């Protein structure tokens, strides 16, 4: 069995590997996700930025958004972003090494974690299903700012969903006797059942709804008598995005990670 050691887990984490500390991080990530959706909602859909290749460089056939994300990922890789096991690139084919000495993240995950990357799926879902739900239709031509906002959303969503690897690792360590038989049998359904906590999911959906109400409320009057409350992104929609996409994709990552946990 590959060696995985007790270690510090990610951003500002304590060195206790526990389900509570992992959930704390997921709760903090909700703020980033809700804010990134609110920021993206400033712009209309601007689909020309991500749907069509309009690059003037004849050797390049990517959309403006894809070009932007690829270039930013290269830059971020050069300063060590992908040395952090919480970060997963969208374009794996062109990730260079860091050109600076990097922080040595203690190995918290099984080495097979590296092969769990569902960013291609996240990209497709984000542009085809999620974005049209929470931004206005239309085109204002502001593609560079739109692409920057899309990247912020994509990275926040990807980090949250791939955090499933850490959640799965902790659950496995807490109860190997429950998980090992299902892993040996490669039984996805049994694993899904073991790692599901419906009450926690309900709480997450309610909390992000509340965060979207709190962070995204239009504030025009200062004497508190807004006649009708208005939100930059519909709070019920944020809850639905979690319930229908983010939580199921996180669980999918958990299962994929666990399937190789004994390799
Ligand atoms: O908190 C957990 O136990 C998780 O696995 C995370 C999560 C989620 O995505 O929010 C996923 C599955 C559980 O059913 C509950 C919540």
């Amino acid at each position: 069995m590959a060696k995985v050691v007790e270690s510090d887990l990610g951003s500002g984490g304590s060195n206790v590997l526990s389900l509570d500390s992992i959930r704390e991080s997921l709760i903090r990530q909700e703020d980033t996700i809700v804010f990134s959706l609110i920021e993206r909602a400033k712009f209309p859909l601007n689909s020309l930025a991500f749907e069509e290749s309009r690059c003037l460089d004849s050797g390049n056939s990517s959309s403006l958004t894809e070009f932007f994300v690829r270039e930013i990922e290269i830059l971020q890789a050069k300063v060590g972003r992908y040395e952090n096991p919480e970060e997963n690139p969208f374009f794996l084919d062109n990730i260079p090494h860091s050109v600076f000495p990097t922080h040595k993240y203690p190995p918290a995950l099984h080495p097979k974690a590296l092969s769990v990357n569902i960013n291609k799926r996240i990209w497709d879902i984000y542009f085809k299903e999620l974005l049209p739900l929470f931004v206005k239709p239309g085109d204002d031509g502001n593609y560079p700012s739109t692409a920057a906002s899309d990247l912020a959303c994509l990275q926040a969503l990807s980090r949250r969903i791939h955090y499933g690897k850490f959640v799965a690792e902790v659950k496995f360590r807490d109860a190997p006797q429950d998980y090992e038989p299902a892993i040996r049998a490669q039984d996805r359904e049994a694993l899904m059942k073991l790692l599901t906590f419906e009450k926690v999911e309900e709480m997450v959906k309610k909390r992000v709804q509340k965060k979207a109400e709190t962070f995204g409320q239009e504030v025009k009057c200062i004497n508190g008598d807004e006649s009708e409350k208005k939100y930059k992104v519909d709070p019920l929609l944020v809850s639905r995005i979690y319930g229908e996409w983010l939580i199921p994709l996180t669980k999918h990552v958990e299962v994929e990670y666990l399937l190789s946990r004994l390799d």
Side-chain angles (χ1 to χ4, degrees):
M1 193 202 290
K3 212 167 149 219
V4 182
V5 297
E6 183 93 4
S7 67
D8 189 319
L9 270 183
S11 18
S14 75
N15 52 10
V16 187
L17 191 62
S18 73
L19 195 49
D20 282 350
S21 63
I22 296 285
R23 285 182 176 154
E24 278 301 312
S25 172
L26 287 175
I27 291 171
R28 184 63 183 83
Q29 290 181 46
E30 289 164 3
D31 303 0
T32 314
I33 291 175
V34 173
F35 274 121
S36 70
L37 300 180
I38 289 171
E39 283 303 282
R40 177 56 179 88
K42 281 196 294 200
F43 308 107
L45 187 58
N46 282 341
S47 59
L48 278 185
F50 55 87
E51 273 177 357
E52 282 187 24
S53 165
R54 302 159 81 233
C55 192
L56 303 177
D57 169 1
S58 56
N60 194 309
S61 64
S62 56
S63 68
L64 182 147
T65 308
E66 181 182 330
F67 179 83
F68 179 79
V69 174
R70 280 185 183 274
E71 294 288 320
I72 295 279
E73 285 197 333
I74 290 171
L75 179 65
Q76 291 187 332
K78 286 184 178 168
V79 293
R81 181 184 181 97
Y82 302 106
E83 306 295 323
N84 182 341
E86 290 180 21
E87 303 294 350
N88 297 269
F90 280 85
F91 296 102
L92 286 162
D93 49 323
N94 65 347
I95 291 305
H97 289 294
S98 175
V99 294
F100 291 94
T102 51
H103 176 66
K104 290 279 163 274
Y105 293 89
L109 299 174
H110 187 284
K112 278 281 177 82
L114 276 177
S115 59
V116 182
N117 181 323
I118 64 160
N119 275 339
K120 166 102 190 53
R121 195 158 152 200
I122 295 173
W123 180 282
D124 288 343
I125 289 175
Y126 176 75
F127 286 110
K128 292 188 186 134
E129 299 177 53
L130 303 187
L131 201 50
L133 291 177
F134 73 92
V135 301
K136 292 183 285 303
D139 192 312
D140 67 359
N142 193 356
Y143 303 150
S145 301
T146 304
S149 281
D150 282 327
L151 176 61
C153 291
L154 284 165
Q155 288 185 328
L157 298 177
S158 170
R159 189 180 309 113
R160 197 280 174 196
I161 290 165
H162 289 99
Y163 218 74
K165 299 179 200 179
F166 292 93
V167 189
E169 176 62 28
V170 175
K171 288 180 180 170
F172 174 83
R173 286 193 208 178
D174 283 350
Q177 69 288 356
D178 295 340
Y179 282 90
E180 281 185 15
I183 295 171
R184 287 191 208 291
Q186 295 288 286
D187 187 340
R188 288 169 188 271
E189 224 172 285
L191 288 171
M192 192 58 94
K193 219 168 174 185
L194 280 170
L195 59 81
T196 295
F197 293 83
E198 271 161 25
K199 280 203 177 127
V200 177
E201 293 182 20
E202 285 314 308
M203 205 160 60
V204 171
K205 285 190 277 176
K206 285 200 185 116
R207 192 173 47 237
V208 293
Q209 180 180 335
K210 179 127 197 239
K211 288 186 180 184
E213 283 167 8
T214 310
F215 306 160
Q217 192 185 337
E218 298 278 6
V219 182
K220 293 213 170 103
C221 311
I222 50 161
N223 53 10
D225 68 350
E226 301 286 351
S227 48
E228 187 198 341
K229 288 195 170 134
K230 282 205 184 136
Y231 303 105
K232 298 183 181 96
V233 173
D234 177 2
L236 280 174
L237 183 59
V238 175
S239 178
R240 190 178 146 211
I241 288 175
Y242 261 78
E244 288 184 31
W245 289 279
L246 300 196
I247 295 175
L249 288 169
T250 305
K251 288 162 73 170
H252 173 73
V253 165
E254 291 187 43
V255 170
E256 289 305 308
Y257 175 80
L258 286 166
L259 286 171
S260 303
R261 181 58 181 77
L262 299 175
D263 289 4

